[in-house]
Amino acid sequence: MSTARESDRRTVELDTEHPHSARIWNYWLGGKDNYPADREAGDMVEGLIPGIVDSARADRAFLGRCVRHLVTEAGIRQFLDIGTGLPTAENTHQVAQRIAPESRIVYVDNDPLVLAHARALLTGSPEGATDYIDADLRRPGHILREAASTLDLGEPVALMLLGILHHIVDDDEAREVVRELVEAVPSGSHLVIAHATAEVHGDAMHEAMRRFMERGGTPIVARSRDHVATFFDGLELLEPGVVSCSRWRPEHDLPGEPAEVSQFCGVARKP
């Protein structure tokens, strides 16, 4: 079953004049769903941080590894993927339903281009369910109410916040959003976070973020490893803890693969 909420089909004007982080990510990953403003901003960031494309690829590879772990080792069959970005290869539902076809996935995003591609994004297995909600992370209550149409929030859920939490620049607001989401799901649920950091590339990352926002991009903030770890307070953080996305349970070492990329990540279980 695959659906996009009719109630969420906003009439919006697609902003192609300003860069969008999801479309820049799409560009770095070799996708075609991006515009000149996105490509220019992506090239600017890569000029400051030559390894940023490796970071994007490492983040995507982390998604695959953590979803496989959650399905095969933790027995998770429900995913709430907030800030899914644009459709690319190996989306959450593709990884999960390949292993467990009955898996149910709800994607959440508020980018008009993602909404336009929702039907392609929602091609899942007939045994499971794949849904799309047009909503903002800053409204977790609304997201949870809509997601309950597809997910059973009385059963464990994997909360996926990859590359989205750093767009809530106020620390207290970011913590409150995470708290509300985690409190709404039962024991055995998992929280997955990938978050931009400046600990790897230092001032170059801060400068790239500053220029990105100057171009009209969505506000973004880099947080430290220790700061990212606070989002998992009260949860059982899985080994190896909060690490570079390239270092979370790597399945094999590839020649030339970076040891550290500018995205930290972590996976934790609700006890």
Side-chain angles (χ1 to χ4, degrees), residues 144-213:
L144 291 163
R145 286 191 296 273
E146 292 293 311
S149 297
T150 300
L151 306 179
D152 180 355
L153 299 183
E155 295 293 329
V157 177
L159 301 168
M160 310 284 289
L161 300 175
L162 305 188
I164 182 67
L165 201 56
H166 49 226
H167 288 300
I168 301 182
V169 297
D170 182 86
D171 292 338
D172 290 338
E173 184 181 10
R175 278 192 294 269
E176 179 60 23
V177 164
V178 173
R179 183 197 63 78
E180 189 169 341
L181 289 170
V182 171
E183 285 189 353
V185 294
S187 298
S189 294
H190 286 67
L191 174 65
V192 183
I193 292 174
H195 195 296
T197 183
E199 288 196 9
V200 177
H201 294 105
D203 291 341
M205 175 60 74
H206 290 300
E207 178 65 13
M209 289 181 168
R210 185 188 68 79
R211 294 190 191 181
F212 171 72
M213 289 185 285

Side-chain angles (χ1 to χ4, degrees), residues 102-138:
E102 71 276 18
S103 298
R104 306 173 75 82
I105 294 87
V106 172
Y107 291 106
V108 182
D109 210 298
N110 67 342
D111 179 10
L113 190 55
V114 179
L115 186 60
H117 284 269
R119 289 194 181 277
L121 176 70
L122 297 177
T123 303
S125 68
E127 300 94 332
T130 314
D131 199 0
Y132 177 85
I133 299 170
D134 180 25
D136 192 300
L137 175 59
R138 293 173 179 83

Side-chain angles (χ1 to χ4, degrees), residues 190-191 232-239 267-271:
H190 286 67
L191 174 65
F232 297 105
D233 286 350
L235 305 177
E236 298 172 349
L237 191 61
L238 275 57
E239 292 292 338
V267 181
R269 179 183 183 276
K270 183 174 181 180

